[in-house]
Coordinates of all heavy atoms in Angstrom, one line a residue:
M748 N -32.9 -56.8 10.0 CA -33.1 -55.4 9.4 C -33.8 -55.6 8.0 O -33.7 -56.7 7.3 CB -31.7 -54.8 9.0 CG -31.0 -54.3 10.3 SD -29.9 -53.0 10.1 CE -28.3 -53.9 9.8
R749 N -34.5 -54.6 7.6 CA -35.4 -54.7 6.3 C -35.0 -53.5 5.4 O -34.7 -52.4 5.9 CB -36.8 -54.5 6.7 CG -37.3 -55.6 7.7 CD -37.4 -56.9 7.2 NE -37.6 -57.9 8.2 CZ -38.4 -58.9 8.2 NH1 -39.1 -59.2 7.1 NH2 -38.5 -59.8 9.2
K750 N -35.1 -53.8 4.1 CA -34.9 -52.7 3.2 C -36.3 -52.1 2.7 O -37.2 -52.9 2.4 CB -34.0 -53.2 2.0 CG -32.6 -53.5 2.3 CD -31.9 -53.7 1.0 CE -30.3 -53.7 1.4 NZ -29.5 -54.0 0.3
V751 N -36.3 -50.8 2.5 CA -37.4 -50.1 2.0 C -37.3 -50.3 0.4 O -36.3 -50.0 -0.1 CB -37.4 -48.7 2.4 CG1 -38.6 -47.9 1.7 CG2 -37.5 -48.5 3.9
D752 N -38.4 -50.7 -0.2 CA -38.3 -50.8 -1.7 C -38.6 -49.4 -2.3 O -38.8 -48.4 -1.7 CB -39.3 -51.9 -2.3 CG -40.8 -51.5 -2.1 OD1 -41.1 -50.3 -1.9 OD2 -41.6 -52.4 -2.4
K753 N -38.7 -49.4 -3.7 CA -38.7 -48.1 -4.3 C -40.1 -47.4 -4.1 O -40.2 -46.3 -4.4 CB -38.3 -48.2 -5.9 CG -39.2 -49.2 -6.6 CD -38.6 -49.2 -8.1 CE -39.1 -50.4 -8.9 NZ -38.5 -50.5 -10.1
L754 N -41.1 -48.2 -3.8 CA -42.4 -47.6 -3.5 C -42.6 -47.2 -2.0 O -43.6 -46.8 -1.6 CB -43.6 -48.5 -3.9 CG -43.6 -48.8 -5.4 CD1 -44.7 -49.9 -5.7 CD2 -43.9 -47.6 -6.3
G755 N -41.6 -47.4 -1.2 CA -41.5 -47.0 0.2 C -42.2 -48.1 1.0 O -42.5 -47.9 2.2
R756 N -42.2 -49.4 0.5 CA -42.9 -50.5 1.3 C -41.8 -51.3 2.1 O -40.6 -51.4 1.6 CB -43.5 -51.4 0.4 CG -44.7 -50.8 -0.3 CD -45.4 -51.8 -1.3 NE -44.4 -52.1 -2.4 CZ -44.7 -52.7 -3.5 NH1 -46.0 -53.1 -3.7 NH2 -43.8 -53.1 -4.4
I757 N -42.1 -51.8 3.3 CA -41.3 -52.6 4.0 C -42.2 -53.7 4.5 O -43.4 -53.6 4.6 CB -40.7 -51.9 5.2 CG1 -41.8 -51.1 6.1 CG2 -39.6 -50.9 4.9 CD1 -41.3 -50.7 7.4
V758 N -41.5 -54.9 4.8 CA -42.3 -56.0 5.4 C -42.1 -55.9 6.9 O -41.0 -55.9 7.4 CB -41.7 -57.3 4.8 CG1 -42.4 -58.5 5.6 CG2 -42.0 -57.4 3.4
I759 N -43.2 -55.9 7.6 CA -43.1 -55.9 9.1 C -42.9 -57.4 9.6 O -43.6 -58.3 9.1 CB -44.5 -55.4 9.8 CG1 -44.7 -54.0 9.3 CG2 -44.4 -55.6 11.2 CD1 -46.1 -53.5 9.6
P760 N -41.9 -57.6 10.4 CA -41.5 -59.0 10.8 C -42.7 -59.7 11.3 O -43.6 -59.1 12.1 CB -40.4 -58.8 11.9 CG -39.8 -57.5 11.4 CD -41.0 -56.6 11.0
L761 N -42.8 -61.0 11.0 CA -44.0 -61.8 11.4 C -44.2 -61.8 12.9 O -45.4 -61.6 13.3 CB -43.8 -63.2 11.0 CG -44.9 -64.3 11.3 CD1 -46.2 -63.8 10.6 CD2 -44.5 -65.7 10.9
E762 N -43.2 -61.9 13.7 CA -43.4 -61.9 15.2 C -44.0 -60.7 15.6 O -44.8 -60.6 16.6 CB -42.1 -62.3 15.9 CG -40.9 -61.4 15.6 CD -40.0 -61.7 14.4 OE1 -40.5 -62.5 13.5 OE2 -38.9 -61.3 14.4
L763 N -43.6 -59.5 15.0 CA -44.2 -58.2 15.4 C -45.7 -58.1 15.0 O -46.5 -57.6 15.7 CB -43.4 -57.1 14.9 CG -42.1 -56.8 15.5 CD1 -41.3 -55.7 14.8 CD2 -42.2 -56.5 17.1
R764 N -46.0 -58.6 13.7 CA -47.4 -58.6 13.3 C -48.2 -59.4 14.1 O -49.4 -59.0 14.5 CB -47.4 -59.1 11.8 CG -47.0 -58.1 10.8 CD -47.1 -58.6 9.4 NE -45.9 -59.4 9.0 CZ -45.9 -60.5 8.2 NH1 -47.1 -60.9 7.6 NH2 -44.9 -61.2 8.0
E765 N -47.7 -60.6 14.5 CA -48.6 -61.5 15.3 C -48.8 -60.9 16.8 O -49.8 -60.8 17.3 CB -47.8 -62.9 15.5 CG -48.0 -63.7 14.3 CD -47.3 -65.0 14.3 OE1 -46.5 -65.2 15.2 OE2 -47.6 -65.9 13.5
K766 N -47.7 -60.2 17.3 CA -47.8 -59.7 18.6 C -48.7 -58.5 18.7 O -49.4 -58.3 19.7 CB -46.4 -59.2 19.1 CG -46.4 -58.6 20.5 CD -45.0 -58.2 20.9 CE -45.0 -57.5 22.3 NZ -43.7 -57.0 22.6
H767 N -48.9 -57.7 17.6 CA -49.6 -56.5 17.6 C -50.9 -56.7 16.8 O -51.6 -55.7 16.5 CB -48.9 -55.3 17.2 CG -47.6 -55.1 18.1 ND1 -47.8 -54.4 19.3 CD2 -46.4 -55.3 18.0 CE1 -46.7 -54.3 19.8 NE2 -45.7 -54.8 19.1
G768 N -51.2 -57.9 16.3 CA -52.5 -58.2 15.7 C -52.6 -57.6 14.3 O -53.7 -57.1 13.9
L769 N -51.5 -57.4 13.6 CA -51.5 -56.7 12.3 C -51.7 -57.9 11.3 O -50.8 -58.2 10.6 CB -50.2 -56.0 12.1 CG -49.9 -54.8 13.1 CD1 -48.5 -54.2 12.8 CD2 -51.0 -53.8 13.0
C770 N -52.9 -58.3 11.1 CA -53.2 -59.3 10.2 C -53.6 -58.6 8.9 O -53.8 -57.5 8.8 CB -54.2 -60.3 10.6 SG -55.7 -59.6 11.2
E771 N -53.8 -59.4 7.8 CA -54.1 -58.8 6.5 C -55.4 -58.0 6.5 O -56.3 -58.4 7.1 CB -54.2 -59.9 5.4 CG -54.4 -59.5 4.0 CD -54.4 -60.6 3.0 OE1 -54.2 -61.7 3.4 OE2 -54.9 -60.3 1.9
G772 N -55.3 -56.8 5.9 CA -56.5 -56.0 5.9 C -56.7 -55.0 7.0 O -57.5 -54.2 7.0
V773 N -55.8 -55.1 8.0 CA -55.8 -54.1 9.2 C -55.3 -52.8 8.6 O -54.4 -52.6 7.9 CB -55.0 -54.8 10.3 CG1 -54.6 -53.5 11.3 CG2 -55.6 -55.9 11.0
T774 N -56.0 -51.7 9.2 CA -55.6 -50.4 8.8 C -54.6 -49.9 9.9 O -54.8 -50.1 11.0 CB -56.9 -49.4 8.8 OG1 -57.8 -49.9 8.0 CG2 -56.5 -48.0 8.5
V775 N -53.5 -49.3 9.5 CA -52.5 -48.7 10.3 C -52.4 -47.3 10.2 O -52.6 -46.7 9.2 CB -51.1 -49.5 10.2 CG1 -51.2 -50.9 10.5 CG2 -50.6 -49.3 8.8
E776 N -51.9 -46.7 11.2 CA -51.5 -45.2 11.3 C -50.0 -45.1 11.5 O -49.5 -45.9 12.2 CB -52.3 -44.5 12.3 CG -53.7 -44.3 12.0 CD -54.4 -43.6 13.1 OE1 -54.6 -44.1 14.2 OE2 -54.7 -42.3 13.0
F777 N -49.3 -44.1 11.0 CA -47.9 -43.8 11.3 C -47.8 -42.5 12.1 O -48.6 -41.5 11.8 CB -47.2 -43.7 9.9 CG -47.2 -44.9 9.1 CD1 -48.2 -45.2 8.2 CD2 -46.1 -45.8 9.3 CE1 -48.1 -46.3 7.4 CE2 -46.1 -46.9 8.5 CZ -47.1 -47.2 7.6
F778 N -46.9 -42.5 13.1 CA -46.8 -41.4 13.9 C -45.3 -41.0 13.8 O -44.4 -41.9 14.1 CB -47.2 -41.7 15.3 CG -48.7 -42.0 15.4 CD1 -49.1 -43.3 15.4 CD2 -49.6 -41.0 15.6 CE1 -50.4 -43.6 15.5 CE2 -50.9 -41.3 15.7 CZ -51.4 -42.5 15.7
D779 N -45.0 -39.8 13.6 CA -43.5 -39.3 13.5 C -43.2 -39.0 15.0 O -43.7 -38.0 15.6 CB -43.5 -38.0 12.7 CG -42.1 -37.6 12.6 OD1 -41.2 -38.0 13.3 OD2 -41.8 -36.7 11.7
T780 N -42.2 -39.7 15.5 CA -41.9 -39.6 17.0 C -40.7 -38.7 17.0 O -40.1 -38.5 18.1 CB -41.6 -41.0 17.6 OG1 -40.6 -41.6 16.9 CG2 -42.8 -41.8 17.7
G781 N -40.2 -38.1 16.0 CA -39.0 -37.3 16.0 C -37.8 -38.0 15.7 O -37.0 -37.7 14.7
D782 N -37.5 -39.1 16.3 CA -36.3 -39.9 16.0 C -36.7 -41.2 15.3 O -35.9 -42.1 15.1 CB -35.5 -40.2 17.3 CG -36.3 -41.0 18.3 OD1 -37.6 -41.1 18.2 OD2 -35.7 -41.6 19.2
G783 N -37.9 -41.4 14.9 CA -38.4 -42.5 14.2 C -39.9 -42.5 13.9 O -40.5 -41.5 13.9
I784 N -40.4 -43.6 13.6 CA -41.8 -43.8 13.2 C -42.4 -44.9 14.1 O -41.9 -46.0 14.2 CB -42.0 -44.2 11.8 CG1 -41.3 -43.0 10.8 CG2 -43.5 -44.4 11.4 CD1 -41.2 -43.5 9.4
T785 N -43.6 -44.5 14.6 CA -44.5 -45.6 15.3 C -45.6 -45.9 14.4 O -46.3 -45.1 13.9 CB -45.0 -45.0 16.6 OG1 -43.9 -44.7 17.5 CG2 -45.9 -46.0 17.4
V786 N -45.8 -47.3 14.3 CA -46.9 -47.8 13.5 C -48.0 -48.4 14.5 O -47.6 -49.2 15.2 CB -46.4 -48.9 12.5 CG1 -47.6 -49.3 11.6 CG2 -45.3 -48.4 11.6
K787 N -49.2 -48.0 14.4 CA -50.1 -48.5 15.2 C -51.4 -48.8 14.4 O -51.7 -48.2 13.4 CB -50.6 -47.3 16.2 CG -49.5 -47.2 17.3 CD -50.1 -46.3 18.4 CE -49.2 -46.3 19.6 NZ -49.7 -45.7 20.8
C788 N -52.0 -49.9 14.9 CA -53.3 -50.3 14.4 C -54.4 -49.3 14.6 O -54.6 -48.8 15.7 CB -53.7 -51.7 15.1 SG -55.2 -52.4 14.4
A789 N -55.0 -48.9 13.4 CA -56.0 -47.8 13.6 C -57.4 -48.3 13.9 O -58.3 -47.6 14.3 CB -56.1 -47.0 12.2
D790 N -57.6 -49.7 13.7 CA -58.9 -50.3 14.0 C -58.8 -50.9 15.4 O -57.8 -51.2 15.9 CB -59.1 -51.5 12.9 CG -59.3 -50.8 11.5 OD1 -59.9 -49.7 11.4 OD2 -58.9 -51.5 10.7
T791 N -60.0 -51.1 15.9 CA -60.1 -51.8 17.2 C -60.5 -53.2 17.0 O -61.6 -53.5 16.3 CB -61.1 -51.1 18.2 OG1 -60.6 -49.6 18.2 CG2 -61.1 -51.7 19.5
Y792 N -59.8 -54.1 17.6 CA -60.2 -55.6 17.4 C -60.3 -56.2 18.8 O -59.6 -55.8 19.7 CB -59.1 -56.3 16.7 CG -59.0 -55.9 15.2 CD1 -58.3 -54.8 14.8 CD2 -59.7 -56.6 14.3 CE1 -58.3 -54.4 13.5 CE2 -59.7 -56.2 12.9 CZ -59.0 -55.1 12.6 OH -59.0 -54.7 11.3
C793 N -61.3 -57.1 18.9 CA -61.4 -57.9 20.0 C -60.1 -58.6 20.4 O -59.4 -59.2 19.6 CB -62.5 -59.0 19.9 SG -62.8 -60.1 21.3
K794 N -59.7 -58.4 21.7 CA -58.4 -59.0 22.3 C -58.5 -60.5 22.4 O -57.4 -61.1 22.4 CB -58.2 -58.4 23.7 CG -57.8 -56.9 23.7 CD -56.4 -56.7 23.1 CE -56.1 -55.2 23.2 NZ -54.9 -54.8 22.4
I795 N -59.8 -61.1 22.3 CA -59.8 -62.6 22.4 C -59.9 -63.2 21.0 O -59.1 -64.1 20.6 CB -61.0 -62.9 23.3 CG1 -60.7 -62.4 24.7 CG2 -61.2 -64.4 23.3 CD1 -61.9 -62.7 25.7
C796 N -60.9 -62.8 20.2 CA -61.2 -63.4 19.0 C -60.7 -62.7 17.7 O -60.7 -63.2 16.6 CB -62.6 -63.8 18.8 SG -63.6 -62.4 18.6
H797 N -60.2 -61.5 18.0 CA -59.7 -60.6 16.9 C -60.7 -60.1 15.8 O -60.3 -59.8 14.8 CB -58.5 -61.3 16.2 CG -57.3 -61.6 17.2 ND1 -56.6 -60.6 17.9 CD2 -56.9 -62.8 17.5 CE1 -55.8 -61.3 18.7 NE2 -55.9 -62.6 18.5
K798 N -61.9 -60.2 16.2 CA -63.0 -59.7 15.3 C -63.0 -58.1 15.4 O -62.8 -57.6 16.5 CB -64.4 -60.2 15.9 CG -65.5 -59.9 14.8 CD -66.8 -60.6 15.3 CE -67.7 -59.6 16.0 NZ -68.9 -60.1 16.5
K799 N -63.1 -57.5 14.3 CA -63.2 -56.0 14.3 C -64.4 -55.4 15.0 O -65.4 -56.0 14.8 CB -63.2 -55.5 12.8 CG -63.0 -54.0 12.7 CD -62.9 -53.6 11.3 CE -62.7 -52.1 11.1 NZ -62.6 -51.6 9.7
I800 N -64.1 -54.5 15.9 CA -65.3 -54.0 16.8 C -65.3 -52.4 16.6 O -64.3 -51.8 16.2 CB -65.2 -54.4 18.2 CG1 -63.8 -54.0 18.8 CG2 -65.5 -55.8 18.4 CD1 -63.6 -54.3 20.2
S801 N -66.4 -51.8 16.8 CA -66.6 -50.4 16.8 C -66.6 -49.9 18.3 O -66.7 -50.7 19.2 CB -67.7 -50.0 16.0 OG -68.9 -50.6 16.6
G802 N -66.5 -48.6 18.4 CA -66.6 -48.0 19.7 C -65.2 -47.8 20.4 O -64.2 -47.8 19.8
D803 N -65.3 -47.5 21.7 CA -64.1 -47.2 22.4 C -63.1 -48.3 22.6 O -63.5 -49.4 22.5 CB -64.3 -46.5 23.7 CG -65.0 -47.4 24.7 OD1 -64.4 -48.3 25.2 OD2 -66.3 -47.4 24.9
S804 N -61.9 -47.9 22.8 CA -60.8 -49.0 22.9 C -60.5 -49.3 24.4 O -59.6 -50.0 24.8 CB -59.6 -48.6 22.2 OG -59.2 -47.4 22.6
D805 N -61.4 -48.6 25.3 CA -61.1 -48.9 26.7 C -61.3 -50.4 27.1 O -60.8 -50.9 28.1 CB -61.9 -47.9 27.6 CG -61.4 -46.6 27.5 OD1 -60.3 -46.3 27.0 OD2 -62.1 -45.6 27.8
F806 N -62.3 -50.9 26.5 CA -62.7 -52.3 26.8 C -62.8 -53.0 25.4 O -63.9 -53.3 24.9 CB -64.1 -52.3 27.5 CG -64.4 -53.5 28.3 CD1 -63.8 -53.6 29.5 CD2 -65.2 -54.5 27.8 CE1 -64.0 -54.7 30.3 CE2 -65.4 -55.6 28.5 CZ -64.8 -55.7 29.8
P807 N -61.6 -53.4 24.9 CA -61.6 -54.0 23.6 C -62.0 -55.4 23.4 O -61.2 -56.3 23.0 CB -60.1 -53.8 23.1 CG -59.3 -53.9 24.5 CD -60.2 -53.3 25.5
L808 N -63.2 -55.7 23.7 CA -63.8 -57.1 23.5 C -65.1 -56.9 22.7 O -65.8 -56.0 22.9 CB -64.0 -57.8 24.9 CG -62.8 -58.0 25.7 CD1 -63.2 -58.7 27.0 CD2 -61.8 -59.0 25.0
C809 N -65.3 -58.0 21.9 CA -66.6 -57.9 21.2 C -67.7 -58.4 22.0 O -67.5 -58.9 23.1 CB -66.6 -58.9 20.0 SG -66.5 -60.6 20.3
D810 N -69.0 -58.2 21.7 CA -70.1 -58.5 22.5 C -70.2 -59.9 22.8 O -70.5 -60.4 24.0 CB -71.4 -58.1 21.8 CG -71.6 -56.6 21.7 OD1 -70.9 -55.9 22.4 OD2 -72.3 -56.2 20.8
E811 N -69.8 -60.9 21.8 CA -69.8 -62.3 22.2 C -68.8 -62.7 23.2 O -69.2 -63.4 24.1 CB -69.6 -63.1 20.9 CG -70.6 -63.1 19.8 CD -70.5 -61.8 18.9 OE1 -69.7 -60.9 19.2 OE2 -71.3 -61.8 17.9
C812 N -67.7 -62.1 23.2 CA -66.6 -62.4 24.2 C -66.9 -61.8 25.5 O -66.6 -62.4 26.5 CB -65.2 -62.0 23.7 SG -64.7 -63.0 22.3
I813 N -67.4 -60.7 25.5 CA -68.0 -60.1 26.8 C -69.0 -61.0 27.5 O -69.0 -61.3 28.7 CB -68.6 -58.7 26.6 CG1 -67.5 -57.7 26.1 CG2 -69.3 -58.2 27.9 CD1 -68.0 -56.4 25.7
A814 N -70.0 -61.4 26.6 CA -71.1 -62.3 27.1 C -70.5 -63.6 27.7 O -70.9 -64.1 28.7 CB -72.1 -62.6 26.0
R815 N -69.4 -64.2 27.0 CA -68.8 -65.4 27.4 C -68.1 -65.1 28.7 O -68.1 -66.0 29.6 CB -67.9 -65.9 26.3 CG -67.5 -67.4 26.5 CD -66.8 -67.9 25.3 NE -67.2 -67.6 24.0 CZ -66.4 -67.0 23.1 NH1 -65.1 -66.9 23.3 NH2 -66.8 -66.7 21.9
A816 N -67.3 -64.0 28.8 CA -66.6 -63.7 30.0 C -67.5 -63.6 31.2 O -67.2 -64.1 32.3 CB -65.8 -62.4 29.8
V817 N -68.7 -62.9 31.0 CA -69.7 -62.8 32.1 C -70.2 -64.1 32.5 O -70.2 -64.5 33.8 CB -70.8 -61.8 31.7 CG1 -71.9 -61.8 32.7 CG2 -70.2 -60.4 31.5
T818 N -70.6 -65.0 31.6 CA -71.2 -66.2 32.0 C -70.2 -67.3 32.5 O -70.5 -67.9 33.4 CB -72.0 -66.8 30.8 OG1 -71.1 -66.9 29.7 CG2 -73.2 -66.0 30.4
E819 N -69.1 -67.3 31.9 CA -68.0 -68.4 32.3 C -67.2 -68.0 33.4 O -66.8 -68.8 34.2 CB -67.2 -68.7 31.0 CG -68.0 -69.4 29.9 CD -67.1 -69.9 28.8 OE1 -65.8 -70.0 28.9 OE2 -67.6 -70.2 27.8
Y820 N -66.9 -66.7 33.5 CA -65.9 -66.3 34.5 C -66.5 -65.3 35.5 O -65.8 -64.9 36.4 CB -64.7 -65.6 33.8 CG -64.0 -66.5 32.8 CD1 -64.1 -66.3 31.4 CD2 -63.3 -67.7 33.3 CE1 -63.6 -67.1 30.5 CE2 -62.7 -68.6 32.3 CZ -62.9 -68.2 30.9 OH -62.4 -69.0 30.0
G821 N -67.7 -64.9 35.3 CA -68.3 -63.9 36.2 C -67.7 -62.6 36.2 O -67.8 -61.8 37.2
I822 N -67.0 -62.2 35.1 CA -66.5 -60.9 35.0 C -67.5 -59.9 34.5 O -68.2 -60.1 33.6 CB -65.3 -60.9 33.9 CG1 -64.2 -61.9 34.4 CG2 -64.7 -59.5 33.7 CD1 -63.2 -62.2 33.2
E823 N -67.6 -58.7 35.2 CA -68.5 -57.7 34.9 C -67.9 -56.6 34.1 O -66.8 -56.2 34.4 CB -69.2 -57.2 36.2 CG -70.1 -58.2 36.8 CD -71.4 -58.6 36.2 OE1 -71.8 -57.8 35.3 OE2 -71.9 -59.6 36.4
K824 N -68.6 -56.0 33.1 CA -68.0 -54.9 32.4 C -68.1 -53.6 33.3 O -69.1 -53.5 33.9 CB -68.7 -54.7 31.1 CG -68.3 -53.6 30.2 CD -69.0 -53.5 28.9 CE -68.4 -52.3 28.1 NZ -69.1 -52.1 26.8
G825 N -67.1 -52.8 33.2 CA -67.1 -51.5 33.9 C -66.1 -51.6 35.0 O -65.1 -51.0 35.2
Ligands
LIG2279 ZN1 -64.4 -61.5 20.6

């Protein structure tokens, strides 16, 4: 369990930060779910190398990792 400080800050447990890619500098969004709060990463990051990428989140890989996947594993985008 964590305590909220007087500025409203809490520390997100390390294991949750690592699992959800919440490294330093990441932008997060808060969603009121009625019975609690959901915190989600607002930026899109490559699932392999964690580089910040732009565009849709349906295929969250950077161009370099896509190219590597295609050449090394024969995976096609789409
Ligand atoms: Zn990548």
Side-chain angles (χ1 to χ4, degrees):
M748 289 206 267
R749 307 288 166 138
K750 286 192 175 179
V751 179
D752 74 9
K753 58 185 170 186
L754 294 177
R756 296 176 298 195
I757 50 171
V758 174
I759 301 170
L761 179 63
E762 58 270 25
L763 288 176
R764 280 182 280 149
E765 287 179 342
K766 181 179 178 183
H767 297 283
L769 299 175
C770 54
E771 186 179 348
V773 163
T774 305
V775 296
E776 284 182 287
F777 294 92
F778 299 93
D779 184 346
T780 59
D782 62 344
I784 299 167
T785 297
V786 181
K787 285 195 172 184
C788 182
D790 296 326
T791 304
Y792 289 86
C793 175
K794 291 288 185 194
I795 296 175
C796 70
H797 304 294
K798 190 174 99 176
K799 190 174 177 179
I800 54 176
S801 57
D803 63 75
S804 57
D805 291 342
F806 203 80
L808 295 177
C809 70
D810 291 342
E811 289 88 347
C812 289
I813 290 171
R815 199 177 315 130
V817 170
T818 56
E819 290 184 17
Y820 306 108
I822 299 167
E823 294 292 338
K824 183 179 181 179

